[in-house]
């Protein structure tokens, strides 16, 4: 029984964050367990084999399917709700999974990100106990958000069974602390993540995409090599990746934490919901029995198909590695001539990697990026921060550990 009746939607004000280096403000430093950041942080000394075994019963097996790239899993799907939810980023699958847990009484509350009342792009951690309020969590946010700061107020009012929607750095810290938190049951719905930035930086990015950034209501990076924008007047615009002004962004637009993230696919979630291998739908990775339970609750509401795969990733990843090496060395990025952008932009959706091959490419790119940026900015932290599976992913592109860079050295 709950100690008190919780509000349907509650956004407790988090405590101030303790100062940390290489921090994405998962929220742990805002709790009484702030001293545990050194043990729980993904960016200090992650132990993925141990954590994967703790959560899934075994570590990833490089010889089993695509686990070398995506972590332990039971099944993967291309998925979509038959009846898309209004205001959702895709069809609303992520929030619907959590909503069904609430409807079925499997959890007391859902912890996730809603919009800040003064800025719809700014994430605000919220606790939801009424399934009808789950629509509040639909859509994209950009910025740092202390999700784990919600754990203490949730426990204080007697919430014992939680569903948590989080990104990898939040989920790693949650799993590291899970046994000490005292909750009866946790369901973890993970979303992939590679690059985050401040909400202020994101507004600057929107201003580079449109002369009326204040009217943009939706932004999505799609697996067809385009970014989709939607506006308040109902209009839409697609921008090829190659025409995005990424090379014009300041060097610190993406923090070093995001440029050195080793867990794009949120491997410690029970179920991961993303876009990379979805080919226009969503990509669903069921990782363990609890993840299967979450999915099974939707029944016929969700359409499930086998993910496709086409094209070859090696050329794309190699080009990315070369450009990243230049950036990590302080050299300017190579810019494609304007006359060529349209041609290559037309070709990429047709001959570039698709489906699972696109997802493999993005994971390898993140591995390459991690090695190159840490080697430049924090070489002494490489042996603690880079797991073996990341070295295996980077090796085909000529990146192997130098003396002292690997944990076993």
């Amino acid at each position: 029984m709950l100690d008190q009746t919780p509000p349907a939607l509650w956004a407790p004000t988090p405590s101030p964050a303790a100062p940390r280096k290489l921090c994405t403000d998962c929220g742990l430093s805002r709790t009484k367990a702030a001293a545990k950041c050194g043990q729980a942080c993904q960016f200090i000394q992650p132990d993925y084999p141990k954590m994967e075994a703790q959560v899934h019963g075994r570590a990833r097996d490089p010889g089993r399917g695509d686990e070398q790239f995506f972590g332990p899993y039971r099944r993967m799907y291309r998925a979509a709700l038959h009846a898309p939810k209004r205001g959702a980023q895709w069809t609303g699958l992520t929030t619907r999974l959590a909503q069904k847990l609430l409807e079925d009484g499997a959890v007391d509350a859902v912890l996730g990100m809603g919009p800040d009342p003064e800025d719809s792009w700014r994430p605000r951690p919220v606790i939801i106990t009424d399934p009808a309020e789950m629509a509040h969590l639909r859509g994209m946010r950009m910025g740092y958000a202390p999700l784990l700061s919600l754990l203490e107020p949730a426990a204080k009012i007697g919430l014992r069974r939680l569903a948590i929607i989080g990104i990898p750095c939040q989920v790693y810290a949650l799993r590291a602390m899970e046994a000490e938190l005292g909750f009866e049951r946790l369901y973890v719905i993970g979303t992939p993540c590679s690059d985050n930035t401040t909400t202020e930086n994101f507004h600057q990015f929107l201003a580079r995409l449109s002369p009326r950034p204040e009217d943009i209501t939706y932004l999505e990076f799609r697996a067809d090599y385009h970014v989709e924008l939607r506006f308040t007047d109902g209009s839409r615009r697609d921008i090829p990746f190659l025409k995005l002004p990424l090379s014009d962004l300041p060097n610190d637009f993406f923090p070093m934490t995001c440029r050195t993230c080793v867990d794009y696919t949120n491997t410690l979630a029970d179920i991961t919901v993303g876009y990379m291998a979805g080919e226009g739908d969503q990509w669903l990775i069921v990782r363990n029995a609890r993840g299967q339970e979450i999915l099974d609750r939707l029944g016929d509401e969700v359409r499930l198909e086998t993910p496709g795969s086409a094209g070859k990733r090696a050329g794309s990843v190699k080009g990315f590695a070369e450009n990243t090496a230049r950036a990590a060395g302080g050299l300017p990025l190579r810019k494609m001539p304007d006359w060529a952008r349209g041609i290559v932009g037309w070709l990429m959706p047709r001959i570039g990697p698709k489906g699972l091959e696109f997802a493999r490419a993005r994971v390898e790119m993140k591995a390459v990026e991690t090695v190159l940026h840490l080697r430049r900015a924090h070489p002494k932290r490489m042996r603690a921060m880079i797991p073996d599976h990341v070295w295996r992913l980077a090796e085909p592109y000529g990146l192997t550990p130098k003396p002292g860079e690997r944990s076993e050295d």
Side-chain angles (χ1 to χ4, degrees), residues 193-196 251 254-262 264 317 320-325 327-328 333 361-377 382 386 390 393-394 397 399:
C193 181
S194 64
D195 296 308
N196 200 353
N251 290 335
F254 296 117
M256 188 56 62
T257 44
C258 295
R259 284 183 280 176
T260 58
C261 177
V262 297
Y264 192 114
V317 180
F320 175 87
E322 292 172 351
N323 228 13
T324 303
L333 295 175
R362 289 298 296 128
V363 170
E364 287 184 337
M365 287 176 183
K366 287 306 300 178
V368 164
E369 191 176 31
T370 294
V371 172
L372 290 174
H373 283 299
L374 280 180
R375 189 171 276 170
R376 172 185 64 84
M382 293 179 72
I386 303 180
V390 172
L393 293 169
Y397 304 97
L399 291 171

Side-chain angles (χ1 to χ4, degrees), residues 135-385:
H136 187 76
L137 300 189
R138 294 176 191 158
M140 173 186 174
R141 318 276 171 250
M142 182 64 79
Y144 310 127
L147 177 70
L148 302 190
S149 68
L150 298 175
L151 294 171
E152 285 182 346
K156 188 174 181 179
I157 64 171
L159 299 172
R160 296 290 179 261
R161 299 167 301 154
L162 303 176
I164 298 174
I165 303 173
I167 58 176
C169 54
Q170 297 164 346
V171 171
Y172 189 96
L174 173 69
R175 293 303 200 185
M177 297 295 297
E178 184 172 6
E180 302 177 32
L181 295 175
F183 290 103
E184 179 182 321
R185 196 165 181 81
L186 295 179
Y187 293 89
V188 181
I189 301 169
T191 58
C193 181
S194 64
D195 296 308
N196 200 353
T197 189
T198 64
T199 307
E200 291 73 20
N201 278 349
F202 186 65
H203 280 292
Q204 294 177 25
F205 178 62
L206 293 179
R208 293 170 185 264
L209 300 182
S210 170
R212 48 190 182 103
E214 68 281 0
D215 293 336
I216 299 175
T217 61
Y218 177 100
L219 181 147
E220 182 58 72
F221 285 79
R222 300 193 317 228
D224 64 356
Y225 301 92
H226 285 74
V227 166
E228 179 183 348
L229 301 180
R230 299 179 189 174
F231 296 85
T232 52
D233 63 3
S235 62
R236 300 166 71 154
R237 179 185 171 202
D238 291 348
I239 305 173
F241 284 179
L242 287 175
K243 292 190 176 182
L244 293 173
L246 297 180
S247 61
D248 298 332
L249 298 176
N251 290 335
D252 62 351
F253 184 86
F254 296 117
M256 188 56 62
T257 44
C258 295
R259 284 183 280 176
T260 58
C261 177
V262 297
D263 187 18
Y264 192 114
T265 59
N266 214 328
T267 58
L268 299 181
D270 296 316
I271 188 169
T272 299
V273 189
Y275 85 97
M276 290 188 296
E279 297 182 271
D281 290 324
Q282 286 192 277
W283 179 35
L284 204 62
I285 308 176
V286 178
R287 300 195 177 278
N288 55 34
R290 193 160 296 183
Q292 188 66 55
E293 176 195 342
I294 296 170
L295 178 59
D296 288 346
R297 289 178 182 274
L298 289 191
D300 293 338
E301 289 186 46
V302 61
R303 169 172 53 82
L304 301 174
E305 299 176 355
T306 301
S309 186
K312 296 192 179 297
R313 68 185 184 275
S316 298
V317 180
K318 182 179 178 182
F320 175 87
E322 292 172 351
N323 228 13
T324 303
R326 289 178 62 82
L331 298 172
L333 295 175
R334 290 192 178 97
K335 295 186 178 181
M336 183 177 294
D338 288 340
W339 62 266
R341 290 177 183 267
I343 299 172
V344 178
W346 182 87
L347 285 172
M348 285 178 66
R350 292 162 174 81
I351 65 173
K354 301 180 184 67
L356 289 172
E357 186 71 350
F358 179 85
R360 296 179 195 112
R362 289 298 296 128
V363 170
E364 287 184 337
M365 287 176 183
K366 287 306 300 178
V368 164
E369 191 176 31
T370 294
V371 172
L372 290 174
H373 283 299
L374 280 180
R375 189 171 276 170
R376 172 185 64 84
H378 299 284
K380 293 183 179 179
R381 303 189 70 160
M382 293 179 72
R383 67 182 296 171
M385 284 182 62

